Structures are given as structure tokens and as C-alpha cells.
Amino acid sequence: KEERMDKPLVAQKSPYMYKAEKDEKVAWCSCGKSANQPFCDGAHKGSEFKPLIYDLKSGEGCAFCGCKQTQNAPFCDGSHSKID
């Protein structure tokens, strides 16, 4: 049965700080259902959500969006501060 979600789930109301230890390609979870936040574990299957693939260079640090409401995916833009 296909599950319809009109908005992603809020995984957490703060960013996930991440630093790449090597050059890597990551899949950012856009649905909020992954048990491996902020990365995709396939929990979106059956929904309209898809992971966002992003390349990180070794030593590069970033703040991945945890609330899934960002307008600058996959990065935090402060949208979590507007969530009740």
C-alpha cells in the first residue's frame, strides 16, 4: 500500500553537524523517516520523497537540515526555528 505524505516528518529541530573523513557521496533523507539521520535508509519507499545525493570532499564540514523544512536542501537554513 502506498503511503501519501504531503510534508516530510521532522527528524529533529536542529541541524545534523557532519564532517567527511574522506571524499564521499551521501544521500540526504528528505522524508524524515530514516533511522539513519540525516542520511537515507530507504524508509521513503512508497512515498513521493526521494533522497538528495550530495558529494562531500574529505575534511568538508556541513550542517545538514534535520527538520526537513529547509529551502536550501540538504543544508540547514534555520527553518527549524519556525516550527512549533
Side-chain angles (χ1 to χ4, degrees):
K1 181 180 167 224
E2 191 165 312
E3 183 180 339
R4 301 300 296 167
M5 288 174 48
D6 56 343
K7 290 190 348 187
L9 300 177
V10 175
Q12 73 177 24
K13 292 182 182 176
S14 60
Y16 290 94
M17 303 310 292
Y18 185 77
K19 186 171 185 177
E21 294 186 14
K22 59 183 176 15
D23 288 357
E24 59 186 303
K25 187 179 296 274
V26 298
W28 175 74
C29 168
S30 66
C31 74
K33 291 173 134 186
S34 175
N36 188 34
Q37 291 294 334
F39 306 116
C40 177
D41 69 358
H44 65 275
K45 297 273 192 273
S47 77
E48 62 276 20
F49 291 93
K50 303 276 185 272
L52 191 151
I53 308 302
Y54 189 77
D55 289 314
L56 287 167
K57 299 287 181 212
S58 179
E60 184 178 3
C62 59
F64 285 115
C65 176
C67 74
K68 313 304 177 180
Q69 312 298 310
T70 183
Q71 299 300 305
N72 188 32
F75 306 111
C76 176
D77 69 356
S79 291
H80 59 271
S81 63
K82 300 179 191 109
I83 296 172
D84 294 331

